[in-house]
Amino acid sequence: MTTFLDARTSQNASLANSISVPILVINTPQLFGQIGLLTAGAGTNPRVQFKGTVSVTLPLALVGVTIRVVRGTLATDPAVYSATATFGLSVLAPQVITFSGNDFNPPIIPQLTYTAFISSNLLGTVRVGPENFDGFLVSD
């Protein structure tokens, strides 16, 4: 039987257009969410499920926006999820990027930390909200 262990939410911006955070360095990860999940009582087959949303406005050019989730706190820590969305020249309104992923059999340490980063391959990308990142941990 599956046992629920912990769930956390990182809510950086709750509303559309509630922030204005430019991505100032090309292809450099910028943190937008972080959660820590407590593992007390974990049994076999631990697994983490996470999801998130980030909204951006884009320059009028072909641009790629990458979401990367790592197990840890640094952009160089082991990636458990990565995806790139490419937007064309005709995109004018803010773009909402949603994602979900899993981490199966993570190491059982007192707390598992997951950090979500965003990067862009072109200057002019601006985080505008909403932004959230959440996840939960279960085991058998």
Side-chain angles (χ1 to χ4, degrees), residues 47-60:
R47 50 215 179 267
V48 173
Q49 293 185 347
F50 53 83
K51 62 182 172 55
T53 299
V54 60
S55 296
V56 294
T57 58
L58 305 165
L60 288 177

Side-chain angles (χ1 to χ4, degrees), residues 1 9 26 30-31 34-35 40 44 47 49 57 59 75 78-80 84 111-113 129 135 138:
M1 179 196 297
T9 299
I26 295 172
Q30 193 175 75
L31 185 147
Q34 188 173 72
I35 56 175
T44 59
R47 50 215 179 267
Q49 293 185 347
T57 58
V80 294
T84 300
Q111 177 175 290
L112 292 169
T113 301
V138 298

Side-chain angles (χ1 to χ4, degrees), residues 3 10 12 14 39 42 53-54 57-58 66 71 76 79 99 101 112-113 127 132-133 139:
T3 302
S10 174
N12 191 43
S14 297
T39 62
T53 299
V54 60
T57 58
L58 305 165
T66 300
R71 186 186 320 116
T76 54
F99 62 94
L112 292 169
T113 301
R127 297 168 35 213
N132 75 337
F133 178 57
S139 71

Side-chain angles (χ1 to χ4, degrees), residues 3-82:
T3 302
F4 170 82
L5 298 170
D6 198 10
R8 302 293 167 144
T9 299
S10 174
Q11 187 78 15
N12 191 43
S14 297
L15 305 172
N17 298 310
S18 60
I19 60 172
S20 180
V21 181
I23 296 177
L24 298 174
V25 182
I26 295 172
N27 295 323
T28 300
Q30 193 175 75
L31 185 147
F32 74 89
Q34 188 173 72
I35 56 175
L37 301 169
L38 301 176
T39 62
T44 59
N45 302 313
R47 50 215 179 267
V48 173
Q49 293 185 347
F50 53 83
K51 62 182 172 55
T53 299
V54 60
S55 296
V56 294
T57 58
L58 305 165
L60 288 177
L62 188 62
V63 61
V65 176
T66 300
I67 303 296
R68 180 178 166 90
V69 177
V70 301
R71 186 186 320 116
T73 59
L74 304 173
T76 54
D77 284 334
V80 294
Y81 177 89
S82 179

